[in-house]
Amino acid sequence: MLAYLVIREGAKWTDVYRLISHQTVSIGRSATNQIVLKDDRCSRYHAEIFRSEGNWMVRDLDSRNGTIVNRIPLAEPHALAPGDVIKIGRWHLAFVHDLSKAFPDSSSLIVKEFRGDSMEDDPLVETQPLLPEETITINTRLAESLFDTSPEPGQSYSPEQLEAFASLYQLGGRLARTETAKELSAQVLDLVLSRAKVQSGGILLCPPEFNAGDPSSEDLELLVERAGENQTLHPVPQFLANTTLRDYKALMAEVPVHQSEERPEGNRHSSVSTKFLCAPIRPGEITRGVLFCYALPGETLEEDALHLALSASRLLSAHLHQVGQIQLLNETLSLTQDENRRLRERLGVESEVSGKSLAITRVTEQIQIAAEKSSPVLIRGENGVGKETVARAIHFASNRKQGPLVRASCAVLNEEEFETVILGSPDTSADGSRKKGLLEMGQGGTFVLGEIGELSLDWQAKLMRFLDGHPFERLSGNGPGVKADVRLITSTRRNLEDDVHQGRFRQDLYLRLQDTQILIPALRRRPEDVPVLANHFLEHFCQAIGRRFERFTPAAMERLMEYPWPGNIRELKNVVERAVLLSRGNTIDLEQIALSISPSPTAS
């Protein structure tokens, strides 16, 4: 028997595809599929249809947004029956043997579901009664509401209309104190239902991430719903929702609704009409939602309800726009604060890696070269010269600057602590979580491992395998290794060449690390950099305590330049901080300069 897929996007017919028994039909966004669906919500290879044991089957290919058949997401391959409708993104694919039975109407879709063991046991039940356009009668279209402006003096209003004015005024006050789209929508829907004296309705909105231009009804999600007691909410007909979105007008329409009931003549189906009310929600330049309600048997919808719904939906639109702008501002502010923090950190780094000497100029050039690479870096120098500062400078100048920067020192961790701190816990807690180590926390960023020369030979071997692309294995053997995308920067004060010669450091690891090597000279080797650094620290600490110092006196600066700085930049920073705290004037003089050893007459 011939089989077809009739394909439609929204309300537009697009194609008919004949299925051939020996061929598998792939569906997705990629141009290599047999059926190509141009929709960002479709995965490149989204689903496939194939023949198995006499049945046509549809299978989801682990797509991002899933495949739906008759409103049910696929969890496993599904045997297709005539009339089944596959939904992928905004596309519908009807499986039929008879082309005339694909879709009853080109403007709407009836999704049908079989219940019972066979078609005879239980007739087709329409789970989404979205009816052809010609069966829906739009009685009223409304572009302006009588409640959009304040009551005019001399104008005659009914008591109900005056109450509606008051209700809308009070609603505006409540909405101004509401912060989320769902809470806003719930308050508006409840007011409309209460004033219209009906029980059932809902609010459909585009999801926040939707940015594909003008939406259709299939792009909307039910944000808030209300239904009468023991009632199931009827979905709004697609034709009405699309008309409301397109025309930006409120409308009231007569809609046939199918009901199932036992009748003496054996016909279990009857059709009655009910009134549907729809109003557009437009928080900006594009209509992005629909407010709807309808009358159950025994209820009525009057035209005043349509006016009220239109005014309420416009209030909702304005406040949704305001909430969206506030969220956008908050997100922008957060991003700006993060960027400012990074810039301040980078500025501080650049200030501490600065000076007039040729030696520090060479270091800054090496930082830039290292930042452009992805290979490991080895930073060498005495204690206090600023090895960690140089590592931060490399990070902030690299293409990983938006990622995390994590640091650990091999000098303060024993082997057991190293495994826990770097690799995290191998076991999960009672709630299923696991404590991550620094390596995983640095994913996508930079991992700085200080004093690499203190690392044991066993851990050196594990680190070497990690640099070769393997997981970082645990020395204890408890639990799996850890993989992470990090850029490794190491530092040391030791003479690694001697350690390699004496067997305390692996030669292969040394060769791997010293591919990009930066040597930071001691501060005593570059006395001309002392004034630059001292003035930077002076400004930094003055800002921190809210005081203002103009300068160091010439005598104080001379002493700073004569001092050999065995503790290097770290010691200079501490000396300047102490001087700022001790000084009572607006300059730093000799009395505030406390040095650990007597200055030599010349810098060594």
Side-chain angles (χ1 to χ4, degrees):
M1 182 179 293
L2 295 179
Y4 303 90
L5 284 179
V6 182
I7 306 168
R8 195 177 67 186
E9 180 186 17
K12 298 180 295 185
W13 294 88
T14 60
D15 207 352
V16 176
Y17 193 95
R18 180 182 171 187
L19 300 175
I20 301 174
S21 60
H22 62 276
Q23 291 183 356
T24 296
V25 178
S26 62
I27 305 169
R29 199 174 72 248
S30 172
T32 58
N33 291 287
Q34 282 84 2
I35 297 178
V36 179
L37 304 181
K38 296 180 180 179
D39 186 342
D40 289 339
R41 286 167 294 185
C42 298
S43 297
R44 289 177 56 81
Y45 300 97
H46 196 107
E48 65 180 8
I49 294 177
F50 59 97
R51 188 82 167 170
S52 176
E53 298 181 356
N55 294 317
W56 282 103
M57 311 289 291
V58 58
R59 173 167 51 207
D60 184 78
L61 299 177
D62 294 326
S63 62
R64 184 175 69 253
N65 293 316
T67 302
I68 297 172
V69 177
N70 300 340
R71 302 185 70 192
I72 300 174
L74 282 186
E76 55 187 23
H78 171 81
L80 292 168
D84 281 353
V85 177
I86 305 165
K87 184 176 185 295
I88 298 176
R90 66 165 61 92
W91 296 80
H92 293 88
L93 298 85
F95 175 80
V96 294
H97 295 308
D98 183 349
L99 286 175
S100 66
K101 296 180 180 179
F103 293 109
D105 179 79
S106 63
S107 64
S108 62
L109 171 67
I110 299 178
V111 179
K112 297 182 176 180
E113 172 183 63
F114 289 98
R115 296 183 180 175
D117 296 330
S118 67
M119 194 182 307
E120 289 76 17
D121 290 338
D122 194 350
L124 290 176
V125 177
E126 296 192 358
T127 60
Q128 185 171 342
L130 305 181
L131 304 170
E133 178 178 351
E134 60 266 21
T135 67
I136 297 175
T137 304
I138 297 179
N139 298 321
T140 308
R141 298 176 189 261
L142 197 65
E144 301 295 336
S145 167
L146 65 88
F147 300 119
D148 282 346
T149 57
S150 301
E152 297 180 7
Q155 181 74 28
S156 176
Y157 296 100
S158 69
E160 290 79 9
Q161 290 173 341
L162 291 174
E163 289 178 7
F165 274 117
S167 298
L168 288 167
Y169 179 79
Q170 294 167 0
L171 175 66
R174 292 196 301 273
L175 295 183
R177 300 188 295 271
T178 305
E179 297 181 353
T180 68
K182 189 166 187 176
E183 291 172 346
L184 289 167
S185 300
Q187 293 201 40
V188 169
L189 180 61
D190 288 341
L191 174 74
V192 171
L193 296 179
S194 173
R195 297 300 311 171
K197 297 182 174 60
V198 295
Q199 303 177 60
S200 304
I203 288 182
L204 298 159
L205 281 177
C206 290
E209 64 274 10
F210 179 83
N211 58 0
D214 294 324
S216 71
S217 62
E218 295 171 7
D219 298 311
L220 306 182
E221 295 179 352
L222 187 63
L223 185 64
V224 177
E225 64 177 300
R226 302 285 187 267
E229 188 176 355
N230 299 322
Q231 297 286 332
T232 301
L233 184 71
H234 286 294
V236 62
Q238 283 186 331
F239 167 65
L240 289 186
N242 285 325
T243 302
T244 305
L245 290 169
R246 183 188 66 236
D247 297 346
Y248 188 48
K249 292 180 181 179
L251 55 87
M252 190 178 291
E254 294 285 343
V255 178
V257 177
H258 295 282
Q259 296 181 328
S260 295
E261 57 182 17
E262 294 293 343
R263 299 178 62 87
E265 58 272 24
N267 182 5
R268 296 178 58 196
H269 281 70
S270 66
S271 181
V272 298
S273 291
T274 189
K275 280 189 176 180
F276 258 84
L277 178 158
C278 294
I281 300 170
R282 191 171 191 170
E285 300 298 320
I286 298 174
T287 307
R288 297 180 67 86
V290 174
L291 181 156
F292 72 94
C293 62
Y294 57 86
L296 293 171
E299 297 176 339
T300 59
L301 275 173
E302 304 295 339
E303 189 169 323
D304 275 359
L306 188 62
H307 284 268
L308 179 84
L310 181 56
S311 293
S313 71
R314 286 178 175 172
L315 270 175
L316 176 59
S317 300
H319 285 277
L320 285 174
H321 180 70
Q322 183 178 3
V323 167
Q325 292 298 106
I326 291 173
Q327 291 175 343
L328 180 61
L329 285 172
N330 287 337
E331 291 170 3
T332 304
L333 178 61
S334 178
L335 290 173
T336 302
Q337 290 172 337
D338 288 344
E339 187 61 26
N340 286 342
R341 176 181 56 78
R342 291 190 182 96
L343 288 173
R344 284 195 299 270
E345 289 182 1
R346 183 170 180 177
L347 179 61
V349 166
E350 290 174 349
S351 298
E352 293 184 32
V353 188
S354 60
K356 298 178 180 179
S357 67
L358 180 62
I360 203 64
T361 300
R362 189 179 301 114
V363 169
T364 57
E365 291 173 351
Q366 290 175 318
I367 288 172
Q368 193 58 47
I369 292 171
E372 295 172 358
K373 296 182 178 181
S374 59
S375 57
V377 179
L378 176 61
I379 304 170
R380 306 181 70 169
E382 297 177 2
N383 282 338
V385 294
K387 297 187 289 293
E388 185 175 312
T389 300
V390 169
R392 287 161 51 209
I394 294 171
H395 170 76
F396 287 118
S398 73
N399 58 6
R400 292 177 177 262
K401 60 186 176 184
Q402 301 297 334
L405 173 65
V406 294
R407 300 177 291 273
S409 173
C410 301
V412 298
L413 298 173
N414 60 37
E415 289 195 352
E416 291 183 2
E417 292 172 335
F418 186 89
E419 179 169 318
T420 303
V421 171
I422 305 303
L423 304 182
S425 171
D427 303 317
T428 56
S429 60
D431 62 0
S433 62
R434 185 183 69 84
K435 183 180 178 181
K436 292 183 178 181
L438 291 177
L439 195 63
E440 290 173 277
M441 292 168 63
Q443 175 68 27
T446 303
F447 178 39
V448 180
L449 196 54
E451 297 305 334
I452 188 71
E454 308 299 327
L455 195 62
S456 71
L457 286 169
D458 288 336
W459 276 118
Q460 290 176 30
K462 304 293 186 185
L463 178 60
M464 186 64 201
R465 279 185 55 80
F466 175 71
L467 293 176
D468 286 336
H470 300 281
F472 205 136
E473 297 172 350
R474 300 176 186 275
L475 199 58
S476 65
N478 297 327
V482 174
K483 291 205 72 171
D485 173 25
V486 295
R487 201 273 178 89
L488 180 66
I489 298 179
T490 59
S491 67
T492 187
R493 68 183 187 281
R494 297 176 64 99
N495 186 325
L496 292 185
E497 290 79 6
D498 284 351
D499 288 344
V500 169
H501 181 71
Q502 296 175 25
R504 291 195 297 263
F505 200 85
R506 291 176 62 99
Q507 184 176 22
D508 55 353
L509 180 58
Y510 167 74
L511 294 174
R512 185 68 177 271
L513 295 178
Q514 63 94 41
D515 176 62
T516 302
Q517 186 173 183
I518 298 175
L519 177 62
I520 307 174
L523 190 54
R524 65 181 175 273
R525 305 290 183 188
R526 47 188 180 104
E528 62 267 45
D529 292 339
V530 170
V532 178
L533 292 168
N535 284 315
H536 163 67
F537 292 135
L538 176 64
E539 182 179 355
H540 171 76
F541 290 120
C542 286
Q543 289 179 352
I545 66 172
R547 294 184 62 186
R548 179 66 184 169
F549 291 86
E550 293 182 358
R551 58 184 174 83
F552 291 91
T553 64
M557 183 59 72
E558 183 179 0
R559 175 166 293 183
L560 293 178
M561 294 186 66
E562 290 174 348
Y563 185 65
W565 298 111
N568 289 292
I569 296 174
R570 183 183 298 137
E571 184 181 6
L572 173 61
K573 186 175 183 178
N574 292 337
V575 167
V576 174
E577 181 180 18
R578 177 180 173 84
V580 169
L581 294 175
L582 294 177
S583 178
R584 294 292 177 264
N586 60 359
T587 58
I588 303 295
D589 207 347
L590 280 174
E591 289 76 11
Q592 289 85 46
I593 303 297
L595 302 174
S596 59
I597 60 175
S598 299
S600 59
T602 59
S604 60

